[in-house]
Amino acid sequence: MAEERPGAWFGFGFCGFGQDPGSGREHQVLSPEPLRAGGDICHVSASWSYTALVTRGGRVELSGSASGAADGCRDAWASEGLLVLLRDRSGSRAELQAWPPGSGLRGEPLWAQDPEAEEGDEPGAEGRTGLLPLLPGSRAYVSLQPPLRRALAPELRARRLELGIEHALLLDAAGQVFSWGGGRHGQLGHGTLEAEPEPRPLEALQGLPMSQLAAGGWHSVCVSETGDIYIWGWNESGQLALPTRSLAEGKRTDTGEDEGLNEDGSKVERAAEAPAPFIAIQPFPALLDLPLGSEAVGVSCGSRHTAVVTRTGELYTWGWVPRSPVGTTG
């Protein structure tokens, strides 16, 4: 597809499904033909068998093996397995929607996400769908700023990609770790709480090739080729296996003793104890030692917990344990 300023689009090539909304009558369009849509076209995304056209009035129209139309659309990305739309909501807010191409944009999308909304920090919020930055089979990810599709850097030879609620981790072929997305819980590992719009290598892990990595809701972990564990991000539920506020407060309560009385009946005065240290956010990768010097070979994360498998087949888990409601058993 090609665009002639200030908005005349042309299509050419294979048109066996009518995916070139020009004449649409030939299997091969040998010379560029103007595309037709319900208004001036501002964006076009072409898959193999269909095309998504977005007009300046905010209408998306599908042509080819997939058909349908919808209003309030800012941008679109089309593939054979997924159609991603950036659509207007109330006011100036936007919503990302993913549709099966054959749905005709009717019914409910596969998932929908308000990428400008703040995720809740309470247990249970992790069940909501997070922003999906990766576009399948495209070596690209979603961005709210134009263009909707952002290609990964050519030098990023991805070996593994993990998605958290607000962030993404990428392990490249050389064992280097990259992260991007939201960083307000230190989950990116760059030492700040700032967001990163593009994949950025973790400087703290430079020269340490990694073999595994995993993303929790708001924390991250990776395993080096020698079996060392590095972990960072949010530690609210002990998912980093580092001291937490709840454990620190519980330790002070559990070790508390009665003040007692002096011989004259007055209370024994004790010096105030310093509060136990705890880590709420770990913005840099921290080296984590397993018992008995065990070496890790596999790692996985839930939203607020972590699991590691060792070379000798042991399984270690830590993090949030949901409480059973009062009166229930099992």
Side-chain angles (χ1 to χ4, degrees), residues 12-300:
F12 47 92
F14 175 69
C15 190
F17 298 94
Q19 61 268 52
D20 177 358
S23 65
R25 298 175 182 175
E26 302 292 338
H27 286 283
Q28 296 287 344
V29 179
L30 301 179
S31 60
E33 293 185 354
L35 304 184
R36 294 197 303 265
D40 291 336
I41 302 171
C42 60
H43 299 290
V44 171
S45 181
S47 184
W48 178 68
S49 66
Y50 77 100
T51 303
L53 305 98
V54 181
T55 70
R56 300 188 190 282
R59 184 173 177 84
V60 59
E61 299 181 8
L62 307 182
S63 177
S65 65
S67 60
D71 293 319
C73 184
R74 300 186 188 181
D75 208 343
W77 177 82
S79 74
E80 291 300 295
L82 194 68
L83 173 64
V84 180
L85 303 180
L86 183 62
R87 300 183 69 180
D88 289 320
R89 298 184 64 201
S90 58
S92 61
R93 300 183 73 88
E95 181 178 74
L96 278 170
Q97 297 179 350
W99 293 83
S103 67
L105 300 177
R106 293 186 296 270
E108 296 295 328
L110 294 174
W111 55 259
Q113 168 68 18
D114 178 358
E116 300 172 3
E118 292 289 330
E119 291 288 346
D121 290 345
E122 72 282 357
E126 57 271 13
R128 294 196 290 260
T129 304
L131 176 63
L132 180 65
L134 182 70
L135 295 174
S138 179
R139 285 189 54 79
Y141 59 97
V142 169
S143 171
L144 288 185
Q145 302 300 321
L148 178 66
R149 176 190 180 276
R150 297 285 185 90
L152 292 172
E155 62 271 18
L156 284 182
R157 307 301 299 173
R159 186 166 71 185
R160 186 182 180 94
L161 181 80
E162 290 285 329
L163 306 177
I165 295 295
E166 298 176 326
H167 73 295
L169 300 176
L170 183 146
L171 181 66
D172 74 0
Q176 189 172 17
V177 178
F178 295 75
S179 67
W180 71 97
R184 63 196 179 107
H185 291 97
Q187 64 265 50
L188 298 184
H190 301 304
T192 72
L193 306 185
E194 301 297 323
E196 291 288 342
E198 303 288 341
R200 176 183 170 186
L202 268 69
E203 296 179 3
L205 300 178
Q206 291 280 3
L208 296 172
M210 298 295 154
S211 61
Q212 299 284 334
L213 83 170
W218 297 272
H219 72 290
S220 308
V221 60
C222 60
V223 177
S224 73
E225 292 183 351
T226 58
D228 292 326
I229 302 171
Y230 294 87
I231 196 164
W232 62 95
W234 200 29
N235 193 45
E236 174 267 348
S237 299
Q239 55 265 55
L240 304 189
L242 299 174
T244 65
R245 179 193 297 270
S246 59
L247 291 177
E249 293 175 347
K251 181 177 180 181
R252 294 182 64 191
T253 302
D254 294 341
T255 57
E257 298 178 357
D258 295 337
E259 292 182 343
L261 300 175
N262 293 315
E263 293 183 357
D264 60 0
S266 61
K267 290 184 178 180
V268 175
E269 295 184 0
R270 299 182 183 274
E273 295 183 1
F278 66 90
I279 297 175
I281 289 177
Q282 174 68 33
F284 280 112
L287 178 62
L288 182 65
D289 292 324
L290 292 177
L292 306 177
S294 300
E295 296 181 0
V297 294
V299 64
S300 180

